[in-house]
Amino acid sequence: MAEMKNVSVPDIGDYKDVSIIEVMVKVGDTIAAEDTLLTLETDKAAMDVPSPYAGVIKELKIKLGDKVSQGSVILVLESSDAAAPKAAAAPAAIAAVAPAPVVAAPVAAPAPVIAAPVAIQTIATPSGKKAHASPAMRRFARELGVDIALVPGSGDKNRVTREDVQNFVKGALASPRASASAGGNGLQVLASPVIDFAKFGAVEVKPLSRIKKISGANLHRNWVTIPHVTQFDEADITEMEAFRKQLGEEYAKQAIKITPLVFMLKAVVKALQRFPEFNASLDASGENLVYKNYFHIGVAVDTPDGLMVPVLRDVDTKGLVQLAKELGEISAKAREKKITAADMQGGCFSISSLGGIGGTAFTPIINAPEVAILGVSKSCMKPVYKDGEFVARLMLPLSLSYDHRVIDGALAARFTAYLAKVLSDIRLLAV
Ligand code: CAO
């Protein structure tokens, strides 16, 4: 017969006011006896709290980050089993990796045995590296066959969360070639040493922003799975700049800012039309190239929380002013955190412009599944030898990173040379 039961924190030894670092259940969940409800963490250890009963969760009395002690009520459960609670066996897998003493529950108390407190940074994993994760997450990773040491942690103090493990698996499934090579011939790199920086001076620890954690994982994957080469070139934009200024003055009244990037968008499309390999992606087998007959261009936008790459659609069909307007709108949207996942999908090629800031060249990371990305640095006046004399010209540095599996160096040099030609003579945009 169903019965409402309060489930409390059992005997957890001498620990008091212990932080809840994971909540594995929510209202409405049906759970079995011994299912993990939450994970607690002290300065030195993490431990799972399993359920003493099977049933349906009716109310949660705690939330992530709360501090609890023995006896704190965790949740109200409609028990499907009126019998005495089961004493949960100490999870063998955890004991196997961490032969720490089990914190035994008092014999008479209706409480399960808590999983052994596990010293967080001392668990060796199959890869030989150390993982910063709760016992429940290690078990979850093991169930999915994931070496937890390879999962980048996004939680507090870089702890690996359930979402991190799920994203890792999704990433591995989405990239069959990458995972095959990772398993086969060692994308496995040396573990980073765990360094106590406080030993050398005062430090402050701040978590990375959500955007940085997500973009960081993508950038890392793209960097290690795509053979990058960067081709550098320069475009003489003296004439283009004169026209841009003229156009800019005209549209400033309408609060439309015409920057060099707008011209880059049009010129890039022109180059993509001439060199279709750059407007393509490898398919999942890695053996076919998918050529796209549309021209959606991603633009890297620097926001206070990190890098975002919204996509401007059908750039081939739009004029300079329309693009300037859309660029202003989409970068404002990114900086106001209003960008959606859909706004960042479907790109064919990306541009990363640091021209408003400075620098002479850089090596942008390809935004997979695209096969190339154009980096743009700050233009500057330079002496250029022309018709038997040095003349002052405004030169724009271009840095094109490309996927060498798809594009050969000669083709990349042709692409940037053509791009430079179009930018030097923007009448070609109209041809
Ligand atoms: N050379 C010289 N000046 C340039 C230039 C260039 N290549 N590109 C832009 N400028 C000038 C603009 O004309 C503008 O000048 P005024 O203020 O005098 O009008 C100024 O620099 C600032 O431009 P902007 O940055 O506001 O506009 P944009 O269209 O060039 O770029 C955006 C828009 C959203 C791409 C940009 O703001 C941005 O976020 N850039 C950073 C992208 C980034 O982080 N890339 C790195 C990715 S890899 O980590």
Side-chain angles (χ1 to χ4, degrees):
M1 200 179 67
E3 189 185 330
M4 291 303 213
K5 290 184 189 290
N6 279 348
V7 176
S8 320
V9 175
D11 183 357
I12 49 174
D14 291 337
Y15 298 115
K16 287 206 169 50
D17 293 331
V18 182
S19 295
I20 299 176
I21 58 160
E22 303 266 358
V23 179
M24 275 69 169
V25 290
K26 57 184 186 317
V27 172
D29 280 359
T30 301
I31 55 164
E34 296 170 41
D35 276 1
T36 302
L37 301 174
L38 42 87
T39 303
L40 306 177
E41 188 191 65
T42 68
D43 286 351
K44 299 189 180 64
M47 57 196 119
D48 287 348
V49 176
S51 176
Y53 313 107
V56 179
I57 295 176
K58 291 290 165 190
E59 196 182 343
L60 273 182
K61 299 277 195 186
I62 46 82
K63 60 182 183 320
L64 195 71
D66 282 358
K67 292 198 186 307
V68 290
S69 305
Q70 181 182 348
S72 305
V73 179
I74 301 169
L75 52 82
V76 180
L77 183 101
E78 187 179 58
S79 165
S80 52
D81 178 6
K86 293 177 185 163
I94 292 172
V97 291
V102 169
V103 179
V107 177
V113 174
I114 291 279
V118 177
I120 286 175
Q121 292 192 334
T122 59
I123 306 304
T125 66
S127 68
K129 299 182 203 165
K130 314 277 188 203
H132 189 70
S134 70
M137 279 319 107
R138 276 195 286 274
R139 190 164 56 241
F140 181 53
R142 259 197 314 278
E143 281 165 9
L144 296 175
V146 170
D147 177 355
I148 201 157
L150 299 177
V151 182
S154 69
D156 187 28
K157 298 182 210 151
N158 295 332
R159 183 183 301 104
V160 177
T161 65
R162 174 174 281 263
E163 205 184 0
D164 294 331
V165 176
Q166 286 166 336
N167 286 340
F168 184 86
V169 173
K170 279 185 205 157
L173 291 175
S175 176
R177 281 168 294 113
S179 55
S181 57
N185 58 17
L187 277 180
Q188 312 236 354
V189 290
L190 206 60
S192 301
V194 179
I195 297 171
D196 178 10
F197 298 101
K199 276 202 308 201
F200 308 107
V203 296
E204 193 184 351
V205 179
K206 289 184 182 172
L208 287 176
S209 69
R210 205 180 130 266
I211 294 174
K212 278 223 166 93
K213 285 174 196 162
I214 296 169
S215 64
N218 281 315
L219 287 166
H220 185 206
R221 182 202 53 205
N222 296 346
W223 183 246
V224 298
T225 59
I226 301 174
H228 281 68
V229 180
T230 307
Q231 170 74 18
F232 302 102
D233 211 329
E234 277 184 328
D236 180 340
I237 58 164
T238 316
E239 266 91 44
M240 185 199 98
E241 185 63 5
F243 179 55
R244 182 186 79 82
K245 283 207 168 122
Q246 195 185 327
L247 207 61
E249 278 164 26
E250 210 173 303
Y251 283 92
K253 294 166 215 141
Q254 296 176 36
I256 298 175
K257 194 167 168 184
I258 314 274
T259 63
L261 186 50
V262 181
F263 290 83
M264 303 298 311
L265 284 162
K266 289 303 284 182
V268 155
V269 166
K270 206 79 191 144
L272 293 176
Q273 286 167 334
R274 174 160 293 212
F275 302 98
E277 290 84 351
F278 288 80
N279 200 42
S281 290
L282 281 168
D283 73 1
S285 72
E287 290 176 7
N288 304 297
L289 206 50
V290 182
Y291 290 84
K292 297 159 199 171
N293 294 326
Y294 51 87
F295 299 90
H296 303 334
I297 309 293
V299 175
V301 177
D302 175 38
T303 81
D305 290 321
L307 184 68
M308 303 194 89
V309 190
V311 174
L312 294 175
R313 317 264 150 198
D314 301 311
V315 173
D316 55 320
T317 65
K318 293 173 183 167
L320 293 169
V321 177
Q322 173 68 18
L323 288 171
K325 209 162 154 259
E326 288 188 19
L327 183 61
E329 285 163 1
I330 200 114
S331 45
K333 207 170 158 190
R335 286 175 180 138
E336 289 159 15
K337 298 187 192 172
K338 290 185 183 151
I339 217 95
T340 62
D343 288 330
M344 294 192 283
Q345 285 166 1
C348 307
F349 180 97
S350 294
I351 303 181
S352 175
S353 174
L354 294 173
I357 305 168
T360 54
F362 63 107
T363 52
I365 297 178
I366 296 163
N367 191 14
E370 297 164 20
V371 294
I373 179 169
L374 181 72
V376 184
S377 299
K378 194 175 180 68
S379 60
C380 77
M381 295 302 288
K382 280 190 177 176
V384 175
Y385 195 69
K386 216 174 173 184
D387 303 328
E389 58 175 344
F390 279 105
V391 287
R393 306 292 293 175
L394 185 65
M395 303 303 289
L396 179 74
L398 307 172
S399 309
L400 177 84
S401 291
Y402 58 91
D403 183 338
H404 211 343
R405 294 171 301 181
V406 177
I407 293 157
D408 291 332
L411 195 66
R414 286 189 192 105
F415 184 92
T416 52
Y418 179 71
L419 188 59
K421 184 175 163 193
V422 174
L423 289 166
S424 304
D425 184 357
I426 52 166
R427 290 173 307 174
L428 293 174
L429 288 177
V431 180

